[in-house]
Amino acid sequence: QAKALLGAYILVQMGALETQTLRGTSRGEPQASETHSGLLQSSSQKHRTAELDSYLERQRVESIARRQLVSGHPQEAQELFQELYNKDSSSPDIMAYLAMATLMSNPKRNINRAFTLAKKAVGSDPKNAIAHATMSRCFDATNKESSAANHRQRAIELSGNNRDWQTEIIALLNVGIRTTSPAVLKQEGTPLPGIFLGLATMGALF
């Protein structure tokens, strides 16, 4: 009888030990579902970080290109805007800026492509000030003064709620304006002069 009691006691103790072991395992080691969830969260975080880095890089490149454009260096600006357009061809801003830089780089050679991009930008966003400014420059390049004036006025009106933005729009409407006159259009590759408006106030934009 003593042996039977001892055997029963040993079995009870073994069962308790097994129970404790199982509990410790469940608490100390993550289950497969928990591990999978953690991997998904890590992957999602990395994806969001990559998207943020990509966005910040686009903003940096756009800022440089805008500064080059208003300071009278359209060829350099065109290259950067083309790079941005290749990555995102649906942005009305990028389309309009690329059209402006394309036109200013060489009015005679690039007028058709500039017009196409500018009209596409206006069609995509009718209230986009830079798109209307670009259309104004395109019409000015073809000596259509009435249409140029309409789009010029629209661009200024649409940017009226932001003084810095309107300053940039006005600068782009005037930078190198002489190169888009009919007489100069006959001279391919004429270099662009500096802008007529002072750019001291443009620093806040960049």
Side-chain angles (χ1 to χ4, degrees):
Q1 183 178 3
K3 289 182 179 180
L5 290 173
L6 178 62
Y9 175 76
I10 292 173
L11 288 174
V12 169
Q13 293 299 317
M14 290 177 63
L17 178 61
E18 182 177 357
T19 300
Q20 291 178 354
T21 301
L22 289 174
R23 288 177 179 174
T25 300
S26 64
R27 284 195 294 264
E29 297 180 5
Q31 298 298 313
S33 60
E34 294 176 351
T35 302
H36 181 64
S37 177
L39 290 174
L40 288 177
Q41 290 179 356
S42 177
S43 176
S44 177
Q45 180 64 33
K46 289 180 179 178
H47 180 67
R48 288 195 296 269
T49 300
E51 285 186 333
L52 177 60
D53 290 343
S54 178
Y55 170 78
L56 292 176
E57 176 62 14
R58 289 197 303 271
Q59 291 296 103
R60 185 188 70 83
V61 173
E62 181 180 339
S63 178
I64 293 173
R66 287 167 61 186
R67 187 163 59 247
Q68 290 175 333
L69 189 58
V70 297
S71 61
H73 299 88
Q75 291 85 359
E76 292 86 344
Q78 183 184 1
E79 291 179 4
L80 292 180
F81 282 125
Q82 183 65 57
E83 177 185 325
L84 293 172
Y85 182 75
N86 291 341
K87 295 178 181 179
D88 182 12
S89 60
S90 63
S91 169
D93 281 349
I94 298 303
M95 276 188 276
Y97 274 119
L98 177 58
M100 180 75 80
T102 299
L103 177 69
M104 291 170 60
S105 293
N106 193 314
K108 181 180 178 181
R109 186 179 65 188
N110 298 336
I111 183 63
N112 289 334
R113 182 167 189 257
F115 245 131
T116 298
L117 286 168
K119 286 188 288 187
K120 185 178 179 181
V122 171
S124 178
D125 182 6
K127 294 185 178 181
N128 188 292
I130 184 63
H132 283 283
T134 306
M135 284 294 293
S136 176
R137 293 296 300 265
C138 286
F139 280 119
D140 181 66
T142 55
N143 201 29
K144 295 181 179 179
E145 297 180 2
S146 178
S147 296
N150 290 336
H151 283 282
R152 185 183 304 114
Q153 184 63 31
R154 185 63 173 149
I156 294 173
E157 290 174 353
L158 289 171
S159 59
N161 61 339
N162 186 315
R163 185 174 180 179
D164 290 336
W165 177 229
Q166 190 174 69
T167 299
E168 181 178 359
I169 292 296
I170 294 174
L172 289 173
L173 285 167
N174 289 278
V175 60
I177 194 70
R178 292 174 183 172
T179 62
T180 58
S181 65
V184 177
L185 280 175
K186 298 178 181 178
Q187 303 174 15
E188 184 173 346
T190 302
L192 291 172
I195 62 173
F196 292 105
L197 297 179
L199 293 176
T201 57
M202 296 299 293
L205 293 174
F206 308 105

